[in-house]
Amino acid sequence: MTTELTVDRLLRTHALGKLLGDAPAFREAIASLPAIARADATVLLNGETGTGKELVARAIHYLSERRAAAFIAVNCGSLPDTLLEDEFFGHERGAFTDAKASRPGLLRQAHGGTLFLDEVDSLSPRAQVSLLRVLQDRTYRALGSSVERHTDMRVIAATNTPLWPLIAERGYRSDLYYRLSVLTIDLPPLRDRRDDVLPLTHHFLLKLAPAGRGPFRLSADAKHALLSHSWPGNVRELENAVWRAVSLAEDDVVTAVHFGLRQRDQSCSATPPFTQAVTTVLEGTSGSALTGSSPAFAELDVTQPFGELKRQTLWAFERAYLLQLMSTCRGNVSLAARAARKERSDLRRLLHRHCLDPRAFGC
């Protein structure tokens, strides 16, 4: 059976019912999901915000032998160190002042099933140590307990920032990285799967249509705007744009104005200093790196996997981009976000991952 037929069959299964797309990059990314599901090893999902990492994690779970047990999802960025052990390990009654009853932690809830760790790049050093011990020994102790428990669970981690560069940048634990990346999947951004933009739009038009409305049709200018947009927020941004459109459309024809993409493009082009900063970085990259004159590209270690080199290169580009962008915008995050055509919160997260303080770029 060919890979193409295998992917076609996959897309018809209940487990992958929400993974929509025919673009080659997308089909290549999900082709190995059944084999990965059977392997029962730790998986690391790499992909930008909004590319569907949790949907892929759920698909792996429901394609696996663990499908009858729980799928527990946790955002690592929302776990402060003060609550870390309680969240992961749980506690016994009387473990601390307000512990009036025992409470199972995430590890116990995920026993027999899958624990999905989103934004694993944001784990603090203390959290990394705690997670590493669990991955190594599969044992833990609830707070206030002297009993060591065993956990039988599969861990699927996700990151929108390459982990390997974080080892040098922020001291991310290399042993944890190797534990998490036994199997890896790289999810393509929506800009690399343009053929899926309109089919996904039609899917969301059906899904999000208000009661008694529809079917909606796309005008010619709407199709042009959708295909021309860079979609920095990926499929999640597209879904939100469709939601906006069906809410504002007065009839069953949806135009570019309803999506709001044209207005966003115009507002960005109205700030030439910042747009020029973006162009300068891009031209600088293509002008030297692609010709082979850049030392960073001339000294690539081609014995490393392509995916790993790609992630390292993207990380270096991100950092150079942010340094130039924030310098031009003099540390103004709002203006920088407009120039980069990113949500302000997403830009702040990028700056945090690269350990860049906007105040350092002020006048």
mmCIF file of all heavy atoms in Angstrom, residues 268 271 274-275 325-326 328-341 344 347:
data_model
loop_
_atom_site.group_PDB
_atom_site.id
_atom_site.type_symbol
_atom_site.label_atom_id
_atom_site.label_comp_id
_atom_site.label_asym_id
_atom_site.label_seq_id
_atom_site.Cartn_x
_atom_site.Cartn_y
_atom_site.Cartn_z
ATOM 1 N N CYS A 268 -0.710 47.932 8.523
ATOM 2 C CA CYS A 268 0.718 47.625 8.634
ATOM 3 C C CYS A 268 1.527 48.434 7.632
ATOM 4 O O CYS A 268 2.604 48.912 7.934
ATOM 5 C CB CYS A 268 0.955 46.129 8.414
ATOM 6 S SG CYS A 268 0.350 45.112 9.767
ATOM 7 N N THR A 271 2.833 52.053 8.320
ATOM 8 C CA THR A 271 3.951 52.309 9.238
ATOM 9 C C THR A 271 5.264 51.928 8.547
ATOM 10 O O THR A 271 5.871 50.917 8.867
ATOM 11 C CB THR A 271 3.794 51.491 10.528
ATOM 12 O OG1 THR A 271 3.667 50.112 10.174
ATOM 13 C CG2 THR A 271 2.564 51.909 11.298
ATOM 14 N N PHE A 274 8.669 50.620 10.284
ATOM 15 C CA PHE A 274 8.681 49.284 10.862
ATOM 16 C C PHE A 274 8.619 48.221 9.769
ATOM 17 O O PHE A 274 9.271 47.197 9.846
ATOM 18 C CB PHE A 274 7.506 49.142 11.828
ATOM 19 C CG PHE A 274 7.383 50.318 12.747
ATOM 20 C CD1 PHE A 274 6.262 51.120 12.733
ATOM 21 C CD2 PHE A 274 8.420 50.649 13.596
ATOM 22 C CE1 PHE A 274 6.175 52.223 13.569
ATOM 23 C CE2 PHE A 274 8.335 51.744 14.441
ATOM 24 C CZ PHE A 274 7.204 52.539 14.421
ATOM 25 N N THR A 275 7.815 48.475 8.735
ATOM 26 C CA THR A 275 7.770 47.541 7.614
ATOM 27 C C THR A 275 9.137 47.462 6.945
ATOM 28 O O THR A 275 9.580 46.406 6.520
ATOM 29 C CB THR A 275 6.711 47.998 6.587
ATOM 30 O OG1 THR A 275 5.461 48.125 7.254
ATOM 31 C CG2 THR A 275 6.587 46.984 5.451
ATOM 32 N N LEU A 325 14.212 44.310 14.773
ATOM 33 C CA LEU A 325 12.861 44.857 14.881
ATOM 34 C C LEU A 325 12.718 45.724 16.132
ATOM 35 O O LEU A 325 12.234 46.861 16.078
ATOM 36 C CB LEU A 325 11.847 43.715 14.919
ATOM 37 C CG LEU A 325 10.370 44.105 15.018
ATOM 38 C CD1 LEU A 325 9.916 44.803 13.746
ATOM 39 C CD2 LEU A 325 9.515 42.878 15.281
ATOM 40 N N MET A 326 13.141 45.214 17.286
ATOM 41 C CA MET A 326 12.987 45.949 18.535
ATOM 42 C C MET A 326 13.905 47.170 18.575
ATOM 43 O O MET A 326 13.563 48.193 19.176
ATOM 44 C CB MET A 326 13.271 45.038 19.724
ATOM 45 C CG MET A 326 12.289 43.876 19.865
ATOM 46 S SD MET A 326 10.560 44.384 19.843
ATOM 47 C CE MET A 326 10.478 45.396 21.327
ATOM 48 N N THR A 328 14.711 48.983 15.905
ATOM 49 C CA THR A 328 14.057 49.972 15.051
ATOM 50 C C THR A 328 12.851 50.592 15.744
ATOM 51 O O THR A 328 12.597 51.790 15.635
ATOM 52 C CB THR A 328 13.619 49.322 13.726
ATOM 53 O OG1 THR A 328 14.761 48.769 13.085
ATOM 54 C CG2 THR A 328 12.963 50.336 12.802
ATOM 55 N N CYS A 329 12.102 49.764 16.483
ATOM 56 C CA CYS A 329 10.895 50.236 17.169
ATOM 57 C C CYS A 329 11.205 50.805 18.549
ATOM 58 O O CYS A 329 10.280 51.160 19.292
ATOM 59 C CB CYS A 329 9.892 49.092 17.296
ATOM 60 S SG CYS A 329 9.298 48.462 15.722
ATOM 61 N N ARG A 330 12.484 50.842 18.915
ATOM 62 C CA ARG A 330 12.926 51.425 20.189
ATOM 63 C C ARG A 330 12.206 50.800 21.386
ATOM 64 O O ARG A 330 11.829 51.489 22.325
ATOM 65 C CB ARG A 330 12.740 52.939 20.175
ATOM 66 C CG ARG A 330 13.570 53.639 19.101
ATOM 67 C CD ARG A 330 13.422 55.132 19.143
ATOM 68 N NE ARG A 330 14.240 55.773 18.120
ATOM 69 C CZ ARG A 330 14.306 57.084 17.924
ATOM 70 N NH1 ARG A 330 13.618 57.901 18.700
ATOM 71 N NH2 ARG A 330 15.072 57.579 16.969
ATOM 72 N N GLY A 331 12.005 49.497 21.307
ATOM 73 C CA GLY A 331 11.436 48.772 22.428
ATOM 74 C C GLY A 331 9.934 48.843 22.556
ATOM 75 O O GLY A 331 9.372 48.281 23.501
ATOM 76 N N ASN A 332 9.248 49.496 21.624
ATOM 77 C CA ASN A 332 7.788 49.604 21.677
ATOM 78 C C ASN A 332 7.177 48.319 21.138
ATOM 79 O O ASN A 332 7.164 48.073 19.928
ATOM 80 C CB ASN A 332 7.320 50.813 20.858
ATOM 81 C CG ASN A 332 5.842 51.100 21.060
ATOM 82 O OD1 ASN A 332 5.018 50.198 21.031
ATOM 83 N ND2 ASN A 332 5.527 52.369 21.257
ATOM 84 N N VAL A 333 6.667 47.488 22.034
ATOM 85 C CA VAL A 333 6.171 46.170 21.642
ATOM 86 C C VAL A 333 4.944 46.280 20.744
ATOM 87 O O VAL A 333 4.773 45.508 19.793
ATOM 88 C CB VAL A 333 5.849 45.329 22.894
ATOM 89 C CG1 VAL A 333 5.271 43.968 22.493
ATOM 90 C CG2 VAL A 333 7.100 45.126 23.738
ATOM 91 N N SER A 334 4.069 47.233 21.016
ATOM 92 C CA SER A 334 2.850 47.386 20.212
ATOM 93 C C SER A 334 3.188 47.720 18.762
ATOM 94 O O SER A 334 2.632 47.130 17.822
ATOM 95 C CB SER A 334 1.947 48.473 20.807
ATOM 96 O OG SER A 334 1.509 48.114 22.096
ATOM 97 N N LEU A 335 4.102 48.670 18.569
ATOM 98 C CA LEU A 335 4.497 49.041 17.214
ATOM 99 C C LEU A 335 5.243 47.894 16.526
ATOM 100 O O LEU A 335 5.065 47.648 15.334
ATOM 101 C CB LEU A 335 5.367 50.294 17.244
ATOM 102 C CG LEU A 335 4.657 51.581 17.716
ATOM 103 C CD1 LEU A 335 5.636 52.741 17.739
ATOM 104 C CD2 LEU A 335 3.480 51.901 16.821
ATOM 105 N N ALA A 336 6.069 47.204 17.296
ATOM 106 C CA ALA A 336 6.800 46.071 16.725
ATOM 107 C C ALA A 336 5.845 44.971 16.297
ATOM 108 O O ALA A 336 6.039 44.350 15.249
ATOM 109 C CB ALA A 336 7.806 45.544 17.745
ATOM 110 N N ALA A 337 4.807 44.729 17.083
ATOM 111 C CA ALA A 337 3.820 43.700 16.734
ATOM 112 C C ALA A 337 3.095 44.068 15.449
ATOM 113 O O ALA A 337 2.832 43.220 14.597
ATOM 114 C CB ALA A 337 2.832 43.514 17.880
ATOM 115 N N ARG A 338 2.773 45.359 15.295
ATOM 116 C CA ARG A 338 2.121 45.802 14.054
ATOM 117 C C ARG A 338 3.030 45.590 12.860
ATOM 118 O O ARG A 338 2.602 45.152 11.797
ATOM 119 C CB ARG A 338 1.732 47.276 14.168
ATOM 120 C CG ARG A 338 0.578 47.541 15.119
ATOM 121 C CD ARG A 338 0.397 49.023 15.341
ATOM 122 N NE ARG A 338 0.215 49.746 14.103
ATOM 123 C CZ ARG A 338 0.316 51.065 13.979
ATOM 124 N NH1 ARG A 338 0.645 51.788 15.038
ATOM 125 N NH2 ARG A 338 0.101 51.645 12.807
ATOM 126 N N ALA A 339 4.312 45.902 13.032
ATOM 127 C CA ALA A 339 5.259 45.734 11.933
ATOM 128 C C ALA A 339 5.424 44.273 11.554
ATOM 129 O O ALA A 339 5.514 43.921 10.378
ATOM 130 C CB ALA A 339 6.609 46.323 12.325
ATOM 131 N N ALA A 340 5.476 43.416 12.549
ATOM 132 C CA ALA A 340 5.680 41.983 12.303
ATOM 133 C C ALA A 340 4.389 41.269 11.953
ATOM 134 O O ALA A 340 4.413 40.088 11.603
ATOM 135 C CB ALA A 340 6.287 41.335 13.548
ATOM 136 N N ARG A 341 3.254 41.991 12.057
ATOM 137 C CA ARG A 341 1.945 41.394 11.782
ATOM 138 C C ARG A 341 1.694 40.186 12.681
ATOM 139 O O ARG A 341 1.264 39.123 12.242
ATOM 140 C CB ARG A 341 1.801 41.016 10.307
ATOM 141 C CG ARG A 341 1.963 42.199 9.373
ATOM 142 C CD ARG A 341 1.666 41.842 7.923
ATOM 143 N NE ARG A 341 1.935 42.965 7.050
ATOM 144 C CZ ARG A 341 1.704 42.964 5.746
ATOM 145 N NH1 ARG A 341 1.189 41.900 5.184
ATOM 146 N NH2 ARG A 341 1.967 44.024 5.017
ATOM 147 N N ARG A 344 0.271 40.975 19.808
ATOM 148 C CA ARG A 344 1.205 41.524 20.785
ATOM 149 C C ARG A 344 1.647 40.458 21.793
ATOM 150 O O ARG A 344 2.818 40.381 22.156
ATOM 151 C CB ARG A 344 0.546 42.692 21.519
ATOM 152 C CG ARG A 344 1.501 43.544 22.356
ATOM 153 C CD ARG A 344 0.750 44.756 22.905
ATOM 154 N NE ARG A 344 1.639 45.665 23.602
ATOM 155 C CZ ARG A 344 1.971 45.568 24.876
ATOM 156 N NH1 ARG A 344 1.459 44.574 25.604
ATOM 157 N NH2 ARG A 344 2.782 46.434 25.441
ATOM 158 N N LEU A 347 4.200 38.131 20.231
ATOM 159 C CA LEU A 347 5.518 38.754 20.126
ATOM 160 C C LEU A 347 6.211 38.780 21.478
ATOM 161 O O LEU A 347 7.423 38.531 21.578
ATOM 162 C CB LEU A 347 5.393 40.172 19.568
ATOM 163 C CG LEU A 347 6.724 40.937 19.390
ATOM 164 C CD1 LEU A 347 7.641 40.189 18.434
ATOM 165 C CD2 LEU A 347 6.475 42.353 18.907
#
